């Protein structure tokens, strides 16, 4: 059964004319199927570039028509434009029909109106729903993250939420889907109070990416015992290359990608940026603040400052392979009493307020002697690796906090956190790599370096070491990309 695919610009008279001919054939010859693909503006240019590159064609004008025999998606046989299509159907089917210019112009106007209304309806429906994808699920972190997502209110402000899960290893185990669904059922009553949701297990990457708003890369990319560094990083890079290729083909315009996994998060994010379209570069983020969160508990114990009064220190470096947690940069949130003038008059039995309590931010280095303190914190943080523990809980907290901020930009106003972002050269960091640094969210909902952060000389030297390590490493592992 032949399938004719007719692609073109929605406002192109030749495209509309070709569709009219194809519909006539379909009505009179029931074994013929017509697939219409219409585009407008830059969509058409991008489509043309992709299809010419894929099939080694050299089409420059609308429409482009080809034939697929047997089933959709089979090898395409190029027919050409409208003139070639006319010749084809005349030779093959002996069919002749004519439309005058006025009729074609009327059809073109009607088609453009229908195209606009369809896209408007699609846009309205999309505003009412959101899609979250989890890439990798067969690990403790991903399975802990899934139910916690429903506590991120910014992700569930819409009427309908779809959660897609893609994990080839889990898909090979038929019991995995049943187990996840049973877990979700235990949260059913609480979740349904938040939002109506749908849970889908994707069997293909293309379906997983299509119409998705947030992709959370939650696969466990920790180094395996039998792997050397080169083999390990090549494995991670190949996965990111495959994912980037699919995103280039089917990803939405405003897709956000979070590398929030165990392993070399800055490396995987960098690998993505090297293969993905440039428009996505600022939307690829590596979650790195968890390295700083590991230090907060130690700082609190050593200083007797409540952990609720501490803000995570800046995290620098190619996290997962090399990083520097600037303990001197821990922020202490102090309550400061500011007395009113009336308090100085010592008016007895006055019921008027005498003072105001305000929050003031101070750096830990202004309060604590750093020499022995920093070494103690580093030793405590290293217990994770010494005991073989994976930092799942700090990573979970950092990921949820980031999602809350990124999905509700008003909450992120004036907030400074540590993230791996695509470097623009700030702080002397080489460009075209994802490097952890202090960032803030700008008015375009893009995370940008916060270059006003004060940095001590000792910390600056450690940051330069991280930059040199990363530059040298990128040269050594160039073949991993």
């Amino acid at each position: 059964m032949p399938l004719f695919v007719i692609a073109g610009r929605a406002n192109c008279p030749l495209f509309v004319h070709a569709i009219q001919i194809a519909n006539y054939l379909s009505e009179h010859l029931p074994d013929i199927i017509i697939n219409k693909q219409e585009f407008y503006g830059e969509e058409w240019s991008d489509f043309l570039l992709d299809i010419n590159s894929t099939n080694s064609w050299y089409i420059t004008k609308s429409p482009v028509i080809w034939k697929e025999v047997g089933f959709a998606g089979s090898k395409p046989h190029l027919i050409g434009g409208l003139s070639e299509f006319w010749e084809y159907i005349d030779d093959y089917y002996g069919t002749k029909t004519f439309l005058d210019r006025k009729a074609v112009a009327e059809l073109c106007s009607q088609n453009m109106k229908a195209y606009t209304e369809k896209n408007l309806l699609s846009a309205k429906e999309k505003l009412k729903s959101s899609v979250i994808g989890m890439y990798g699920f067969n690990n403790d972190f991903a399975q802990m993250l899934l139910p916690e997502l429903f506590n991120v209110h910014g992700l569930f402000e819409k009427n309908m939420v779809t959660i897609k899960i893609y994990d080839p290893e889990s898909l090979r185990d038929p019991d995995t889907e049943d187990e996840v669904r049973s877990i979700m059922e235990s949260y059913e009553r609480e979740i349904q109070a938040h939002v109506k949701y749908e849970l889908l297990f994707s069997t293909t990457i293309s379906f997983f990416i299509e119409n998705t708003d947030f992709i959370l890369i939650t696969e466990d990319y920790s180094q395996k015992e039998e792997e050397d560094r080169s083999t390990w990083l090549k494995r991670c890079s190949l996965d990111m290359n495959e994912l980037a290729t699919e995103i280039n083909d089917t990803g939405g315009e405003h897709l956000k990608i979070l590398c929030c996994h165990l392993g070399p998060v800055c490396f995987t994010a960098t690998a993505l940026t090297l293969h993905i379209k440039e428009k996505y570069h600022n939307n690829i983020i590596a979650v790195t603040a968890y390295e700083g969160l590991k230090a907060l508990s130690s700082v609190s114990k050593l200083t007797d400052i409540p952990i609720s009064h501490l803000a995570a220190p800046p995290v620098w470096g190619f996290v997962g392979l090399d990083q520097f947690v600037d303990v001197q940069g821990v922020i202490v949130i102090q309550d400061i009493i500011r007395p009113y003038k009336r308090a100085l008059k010592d008016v007895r039995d006055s019921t008027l307020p005498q003072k105001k309590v305000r929050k003031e931010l101070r750096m830990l280095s202004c309060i604590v002697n750093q020499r022995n303190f920093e070494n103690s914190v580093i030793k405590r943080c290293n217990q994770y690796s010494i005991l073989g523990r994976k930092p799942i809980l700090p990573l979970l907290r950092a990921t949820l906090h980031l999602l809350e901020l990124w999905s509700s930009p008003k909450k992120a106003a004036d907030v400074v956190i540590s993230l791996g972002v695509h470097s623009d050269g700030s702080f002397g960091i080489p460009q075209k790599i994802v490097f952890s640094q202090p960032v803030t969210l700008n008015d375009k909902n893009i995370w940008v370096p916060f270059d006003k952060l004060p940095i001590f000389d000792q910390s600056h030297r450690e940051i330069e070491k991280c930059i040199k390590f990363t530059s040298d490493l990128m040269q050594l592992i160039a073949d991993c990309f």
Side-chain angles (χ1 to χ4, degrees):
M1 179 181 292
L3 166 70
F4 288 101
V5 182
I6 303 174
R9 290 183 290 108
N11 60 342
C12 171
L14 301 180
F15 169 68
V16 175
H17 196 168
I19 292 296
Q20 186 71 10
I21 298 167
N23 287 338
Y24 177 84
L25 284 175
S26 181
E27 290 170 3
H28 292 81
L29 300 170
D31 289 339
I32 291 178
I33 299 174
I34 307 300
N35 182 357
K36 179 175 75 169
Q37 298 182 13
E38 52 188 337
F39 306 89
Y40 190 72
E42 293 184 2
E43 291 180 348
W44 169 247
S45 301
D46 292 341
F47 168 80
L48 207 57
L49 183 65
D50 287 343
I51 199 166
N52 281 333
S53 175
T54 302
N55 299 294
S56 299
W57 294 347
Y58 301 94
I59 305 297
T60 58
K61 297 180 180 179
S62 171
V64 52
I65 305 169
W66 68 89
K67 180 180 179 182
E68 297 177 4
V69 181
F71 55 91
S74 60
K75 184 178 180 180
H77 300 274
L78 180 63
I79 295 175
L82 179 62
S83 298
E84 292 80 7
F85 188 45
W86 263 118
E87 291 178 9
Y88 181 88
I89 63 170
D90 185 35
D91 290 344
Y92 202 89
Y93 297 105
T95 303
K96 297 181 183 294
T97 182
F98 298 93
L99 290 172
D100 57 33
R101 290 186 178 181
K102 185 177 180 180
V104 170
E106 179 64 23
L107 285 171
C108 191
S109 176
Q110 293 175 3
N111 186 72
M112 191 61 197
K113 183 180 178 182
Y115 174 82
T116 303
E117 289 176 351
K118 182 183 71 174
N119 281 1
L120 185 61
L121 181 63
S122 175
K124 287 181 178 178
E125 287 299 316
K126 189 173 181 182
L127 285 173
K128 297 178 183 177
S129 63
S130 59
V131 183
I132 303 162
M134 295 181 66
Y135 182 88
F137 196 73
N138 197 24
N139 60 81
D140 292 338
F141 168 70
Q143 292 168 19
M144 290 176 65
L145 176 64
L146 176 58
E148 293 295 331
L149 289 176
F150 291 92
N151 293 320
V152 182
H153 299 296
L155 293 176
F156 297 94
E157 292 175 345
K158 299 184 180 179
N159 295 341
M160 175 70 183
V161 174
T162 299
I163 296 180
K164 295 181 180 178
I165 294 175
Y166 179 81
D167 189 320
E169 189 172 347
S170 295
L171 290 171
R172 287 194 290 269
D173 182 359
D175 295 330
T176 301
E177 183 172 344
D178 294 336
E179 289 174 5
V180 174
R181 291 195 183 280
S182 65
I183 292 171
M184 297 306 290
E185 285 174 6
S186 66
Y187 290 90
E188 189 79 25
R189 184 176 298 176
E190 181 182 350
I191 291 171
Q192 291 293 356
H194 288 18
V195 70
K196 184 179 179 182
Y197 81 97
E198 180 181 23
L199 183 65
L200 299 176
F201 280 76
S202 307
T203 55
T204 63
I205 301 181
S206 57
F207 174 75
F208 170 75
I209 294 170
E210 188 177 13
N211 299 322
T212 302
D213 300 306
F214 280 91
I215 290 181
L216 313 181
I217 301 178
T218 51
E219 181 64 81
D220 188 344
Y221 285 114
S222 302
Q223 187 174 6
K224 298 177 181 178
E225 291 184 3
E226 68 274 12
E227 290 179 320
D228 58 23
R229 187 171 67 180
S230 179
T231 306
W232 171 38
L233 297 181
K234 280 183 179 179
R235 171 170 63 89
C236 299
S237 181
L238 285 172
D239 267 18
M240 293 304 102
N241 187 5
E242 181 182 6
L243 182 60
T245 301
E246 293 293 338
I247 290 173
N248 289 337
D249 291 341
T250 58
E253 190 71 21
H254 303 291
L255 173 65
K256 296 178 175 64
I257 305 163
L258 279 72
C259 294
C260 52
H261 57 80
L262 298 167
V265 287
C266 285
F267 173 83
T268 54
T270 299
L272 269 176
T273 61
L274 292 176
H275 299 296
I276 211 167
K277 290 180 179 177
E278 187 175 352
K279 66 180 181 181
Y280 293 115
H281 284 181
N282 290 327
N283 283 357
I284 297 174
I285 297 299
V287 177
T288 61
Y290 69 93
E291 289 288 347
L293 290 178
K294 291 191 296 187
L296 286 191
S297 176
S298 302
V299 171
S300 179
K301 289 175 181 176
L302 292 169
T303 61
D304 292 326
I305 300 173
I307 199 167
S308 59
H309 288 206
L310 298 173
V315 178
W316 302 85
F318 212 49
V319 173
L321 293 168
D322 178 64
Q323 57 270 337
F324 165 59
V325 178
D326 187 6
V327 178
Q328 293 189 73
V330 170
I331 300 297
V332 181
I333 306 168
Q334 297 276 45
D335 289 332
I336 303 299
I337 297 176
R338 296 185 180 275
Y340 294 140
K341 287 183 178 179
R342 67 173 66 93
L344 303 177
K345 297 179 181 178
D346 193 24
V347 179
R348 295 183 181 183
D349 302 323
S350 173
T351 58
L352 295 174
Q354 304 294 309
K355 63 183 183 297
K356 186 173 184 179
V357 179
R358 292 186 178 180
K359 301 291 184 183
E360 187 172 287
L361 303 183
R362 296 180 178 178
M363 299 189 79
L364 184 68
S365 55
C366 299
I367 304 171
V368 178
N369 187 333
Q370 289 293 119
R371 289 187 178 181
N372 299 324
F373 172 76
E374 191 164 353
N375 290 332
S376 299
V377 172
I378 292 171
K379 286 178 182 178
R380 285 172 175 261
C381 290
N382 287 340
Q383 293 300 313
Y384 274 96
S385 55
I386 294 171
L387 298 174
R389 293 178 182 174
K390 296 182 177 181
I392 292 176
L393 292 178
L395 178 58
L396 182 66
R397 179 182 168 189
T399 301
L400 293 170
H401 183 231
L402 171 60
L403 286 170
E404 185 70 52
L405 294 176
W406 212 1
S407 58
S408 303
K410 290 182 180 179
K411 295 181 180 179
D414 301 323
V415 173
V416 179
I417 61 174
S418 294
L419 283 178
V421 297
H422 195 248
S423 174
D424 63 0
S426 299
F427 303 111
I429 299 167
Q431 295 183 349
K432 297 184 179 180
I433 63 170
V434 174
F435 194 94
S436 181
Q437 56 196 289
V439 298
T440 188
L441 197 63
N442 68 11
D443 55 2
K444 295 181 180 178
N445 208 23
I446 294 173
W447 293 101
V448 294
F450 183 70
D451 53 9
K452 297 179 182 178
L453 184 79
I455 303 174
F456 293 95
D457 290 342
Q458 181 183 344
S459 298
H460 201 275
R461 287 192 291 271
E462 295 297 327
I463 295 167
E464 287 180 342
K465 289 180 184 178
C466 288
I467 292 172
K468 185 178 186 308
F469 172 88
T470 304
S471 299
D472 294 343
L473 179 68
M474 293 299 289
Q475 293 179 6
L476 287 172
I477 63 174
D479 61 328
C480 292
F481 300 105

